[in-house]
Every structure is written in C-alpha cells, then in structure tokens.
C-alpha cells in the first residue's frame, strides 16, 4: 500500500457492509474485488479499501492506519470513551443515513419504573460500559456495570443483572426476553469519520472531493426530478405543492396555448399524497424520476 493512496475502512461483513460499499461505488470508485482478501484495490482512483470488523475501525483511524472509516456512532463513541484518558477525538465528516439503531435501557417488563434513579445500587448488563457509565453519571445514578460481550438481553432472566443497556432497532428481541425499554441512552447511525494521519496536499484535495461526492450521493438519494403538464395559470400553485422544489423550468406545449410543461428538482422525496394534490391542482402526465448524481 502506498502513502499516496487514501485508506478507507468499512465493515467486512455485517449490517453496515452493503450500504458502505454501495456508497463508495456510487461515488465512482471501482474496486478490484477479492472475496477473502482484507484489501480491495481502487482501480480508477487512489483508494485502498480495508475490510475489517466494525469494532476495529475507530482504532484504525486513531492509529493513523486508515484515513477514512465508516462506523456506527455507538461503536465509535464507546471506543473514544475508552481512550478518553489519551484525549483523543475523531472528526465526523458525514452522517450517512443508514445503520440506524439506538442504545436503550431496558428492565424486566413486570418491574415498576418511575425514573432513572430507580437503578441506584442495581446491576446493569451491557457491551457498552463507557456509554452506560457516562449516561449514569449524567443522571447522577450510582449502579454497577456488568460488562458482557454478547447475549446481554438474557442477563436479567439469568439473574446476573437487574437491567440492560443494549442496541435495539425494532424492539422484537427485547419483547422476546420480556424486557421493556424505559430510556434511550444514544441514538446512532453510520458516520464517515476522518483518521488522524497527516495527508499530503494531493490526497487532501482528493479527500475533499470524495466527501463532496458522498454528500452528493446522499442528496441525490432523497431528491426527485418531477415533470408534468399543468394549466398555465397554476404554475405557482404547483410549485408550492412540490417539496423543497427548485425554481421550475416552464416550457410551452406545442398546440396547447393554455397549458405548460413544468420540470423541477425536488430536494425531498415526493410521495403519493403530493401527486394527488398535484392532480387536484390540474396537473397531468406527472412523472417522478430518481436522481442519479448531484453536485451541490
Ligand atoms: P463485526 O463482526 O463486524 O464486529 P457485529 O456483530 O459487531 O459485526 P453488526 O451486528 O453487523 O456487527 O452491527 C454493526 C453495526 O450496525 C452496529 O454497531 C450498529 O451501529 C449498527 N446497527 C444497526 N441496526 C442494528 C441492530 N438492530 N442491532 C445491532 N446493530 C445495529
Ligand atoms: Zn462488531
């Protein structure tokens, strides 16, 4: 691996892998894929991709082994708390809008709960001792933390803890273990972080370009291009219905003096409700197209 290439770490196999890889590929990076290798070589751009466990990504960034990494805020913040004595930090470049989950505090469903202070003197099982400790401290609660590396949700029924702090997305696992969520410790999503290695000017420029492309991919994902026909006098009404619309292009229609064609970019998603409102405003031939790429 050369020093003149950007090293990007993503999760090798797990919940963040597909979205992370897809995002980089949508930025135009083509990788020479190799099923069992740790490194993938960027064929058309100066990028080396490292495929690793998500838990290793913050450390690889802190140690300057990687220059960019995609990791959940949950894992990253936990790692930074672990290293807090060394006064370390990582720069969050872009929140990526996938990998959404929350770190929740849950107790056995039959137990009463009047507030966090109920946990005073209790045992809390978690794989996130740093974030749990920080949360308890913020609420001035003294409780003991039982650190477990997995199967945290069975700790209360095993009698090894009175409550848990664990990752939740739908809550099905909690319900299956007769637990109920009583507080939210952290809301998390996948984030692109910068590492600590000093880059030369050329790589720095490339990094800025890549981040701009990533922002463009995210914006394009929620944007839509809308084309429709409408009565000439309802252009303003139509523009008001369309969500986060740019100034519309208004074109005349051959042989239809009372009608115009309207084309516009909407920076938010267009839903069926919007289309029904457009129809009520006299719009016909409404087309909603996905946006493939977008700059600014
Ligand atoms: P690895 O082998 O890479 O360590 P893992 O088992 O730790 O894998 P995954 O279960 O793939 O990791 O989760 C990776 C990240 O995905 C989590 O740290 C979190 O940021 C995010 N995530 C999103 N939804 C959930 C969920 N329902 N449960 C757990 N993690 C989730
Ligand atoms: Zn992990």
């Amino acid at each position: 691996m050369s020093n003149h290439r950007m090293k990007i770490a993503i999760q090798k196999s797990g919940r963040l892998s597909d979205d992370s890889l897809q995002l980089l590929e949508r930025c135009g990076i083509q990788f020479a894929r190799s099923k069992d290798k740790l490194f993938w070589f960027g064929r058309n751009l100066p990028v080396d991709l490292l495929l690793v466990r998500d838990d290793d990504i913050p450390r690889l960034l802190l140690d300057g082994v990687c220059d960019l990494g995609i990791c959940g805020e949950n894992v990253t913040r936990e790692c930074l708390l672990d290293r807090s004595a060394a006064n370390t930090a990582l720069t969050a470049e872009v929140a990526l809008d996938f990998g959404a989950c929350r770190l929740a505090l849950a107790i056995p469903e039959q137990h009463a709960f009047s507030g966090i202070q109920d946990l005073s003197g209790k045992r809390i099982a978690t794989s996130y001792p740093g974030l749990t400790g920080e949360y308890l401290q913020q609420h001035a609660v003294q409780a003991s933390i039982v650190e477990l590396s997995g199967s945290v949700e069975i700790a209360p029924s095993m009698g090894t803890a009175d409550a848990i702090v664990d990752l939740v997305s739908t809550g099905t696992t909690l319900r299956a273990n007769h637990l109920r969520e009583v507080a939210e410790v952290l809301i998390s999503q996948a984030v692109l972080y910068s590492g600590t290695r000093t880059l030369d000017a050329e790589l720095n420029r490339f990094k800025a370009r890549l981040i701009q492309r990533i922002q463009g991919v995210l914006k394009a994902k929620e944007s839509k291009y809308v084309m429709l026909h409408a009565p000439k006098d309802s252009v303003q009404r139509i523009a008001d219905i369309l969500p986060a619309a740019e100034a519309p292009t208004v074109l005349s229609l051959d042989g239809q003096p009372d009608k115009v064609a309207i084309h516009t970019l909407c920076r938010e998603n267009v839903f069926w409700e919007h289309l029904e409102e457009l129809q009520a405003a006299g719009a016909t031939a409404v087309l909603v197209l996905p946006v493939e790429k977008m700059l600014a």
Side-chain angles (χ1 to χ4, degrees), residues 232-291:
K232 215 172 188 168
D233 53 8
S234 52
V235 173
Q236 189 54 50
R237 195 169 155 212
I238 298 269
D240 291 343
I241 293 168
L242 288 164
E246 304 265 288
T249 307
V250 181
L251 307 161
S252 56
L253 285 170
D254 197 24
Q256 295 197 53
D258 302 335
K259 280 194 146 192
V260 287
I262 299 176
H263 292 189
T264 188
L265 176 72
C266 295
R267 288 180 181 269
E268 285 171 17
N269 209 346
V270 178
F271 297 104
W272 282 109
E273 288 73 12
H274 294 122
L275 300 192
E276 286 153 7
E277 280 182 60
L278 289 172
Q279 197 178 37
T284 54
V286 183
L287 288 180
V288 180
L289 308 175
V291 176

Side-chain angles (χ1 to χ4, degrees), residues 11-17 52-55 71-75 99-102 128 167-170 188-190:
Q11 189 186 24
K12 184 177 169 68
S13 127
R15 292 174 208 259
L16 306 178
S17 309
V52 295
R53 289 197 56 194
D54 67 335
D55 314 60
C71 191
E73 290 172 285
N74 55 321
V75 166
C101 57
R102 60 190 191 279
Y128 294 84
L167 278 189
V168 177
S169 54
T170 58
S188 175
Q189 64 176 312

Side-chain angles (χ1 to χ4, degrees), residues 5 24 59 78 118 122 183 200 214 219 228 231 235 261 264 286 288:
R5 295 172 68 80
L24 297 175
R59 237 162 271 133
E78 181 68 27
D118 288 3
K122 297 277 165 64
D200 63 30
I214 288 175
K219 272 192 214 146
L228 52 82
V235 173
T264 188
V286 183
V288 180

Side-chain angles (χ1 to χ4, degrees), residues 26-96:
R26 290 189 73 187
C27 288
I29 310 173
Q30 292 160 12
F31 294 105
R33 290 176 178 230
S34 145
K35 249 206 152 90
D36 35 41
K37 284 214 186 105
L38 190 64
F39 292 113
W40 288 6
F41 182 80
R43 285 184 301 172
N44 59 335
L45 288 165
V47 170
D48 291 321
L49 193 68
L50 277 79
L51 297 120
V52 295
R53 289 197 56 194
D54 67 335
D55 314 60
D56 293 336
I57 293 174
R59 237 162 271 133
L60 291 170
L61 291 165
L62 287 167
D63 294 344
V65 177
C66 290
D67 306 310
L68 288 172
I70 296 177
C71 191
E73 290 172 285
N74 55 321
V75 166
T76 309
R77 291 204 35 203
E78 181 68 27
C79 171
L80 292 174
L81 284 170
D82 198 36
R83 289 210 170 199
S84 57
N87 200 17
T88 45
L90 287 175
T91 308
E93 300 287 356
V94 193
L96 299 174

